[in-house]
């Protein structure tokens, strides 16, 4: 069975990869500064909270659009009714 990747799935995968790279790679050292303070919070905390918020919203969108389903168009797969 050949897997098909729609544009939406590729965007979600790309967004997930970007979010994890920005949170877990050495790029976080770019944001490892106290200044500028954002509402009294060091910039590193704002950086982490921002990227976690991005990933949370992305996962919510992925859940609401059934991105893991095998059907096209985002419709959920329903099981066939049994006549017992």
């Amino acid at each position: 069975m050949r897997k098909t990747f729609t544009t939406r799935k590729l965007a979600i995968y790309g967004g997930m990869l970007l979010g994890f790279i920005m949170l877990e790679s050495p790029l976080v050292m770019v944001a490892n500064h106290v200044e500028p303070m954002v509402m009294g919070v060091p910039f590193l905390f704002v950086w982490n909270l921002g990227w976690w918020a991005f990933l949370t919203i992305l996962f919510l969108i992925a859940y609401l659009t059934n991105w893991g389903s095998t059907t096209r168009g985002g419709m959920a797969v329903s099981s066939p009714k049994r006549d017992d």
Side-chain angles (χ1 to χ4, degrees), residues 43-64:
F43 184 69
L44 179 62
F45 293 147
V46 175
W47 176 274
N48 282 335
L49 287 175
W51 283 108
W52 276 112
F54 169 77
L55 283 174
T56 302
I57 292 169
L58 184 69
F59 288 144
L60 177 66
I61 291 170
Y63 172 74
L64 292 176

Side-chain angles (χ1 to χ4, degrees), residues 2-21:
R2 184 175 174 198
K3 290 186 175 184
T4 58
F5 291 102
T6 61
T7 305
R8 183 184 325 143
K9 283 185 180 181
L10 288 176
I12 290 171
Y13 280 123
M16 288 170 48
L17 187 62
L18 174 70
F20 284 123
I21 286 173

Side-chain angles (χ1 to χ4, degrees), residues 64-82:
L64 292 176
T65 58
N66 294 325
W67 72 294
S69 68
T70 57
T71 60
R72 296 183 130 204
M75 298 295 293
V77 177
S78 62
S79 61
K81 292 184 178 182
R82 297 177 64 184

Side-chain angles (χ1 to χ4, degrees), residues 33-47:
H33 299 286
V34 175
E35 296 290 333
M37 300 282 277
V38 179
M39 294 187 294
V41 178
F43 184 69
L44 179 62
F45 293 147
V46 175
W47 176 274

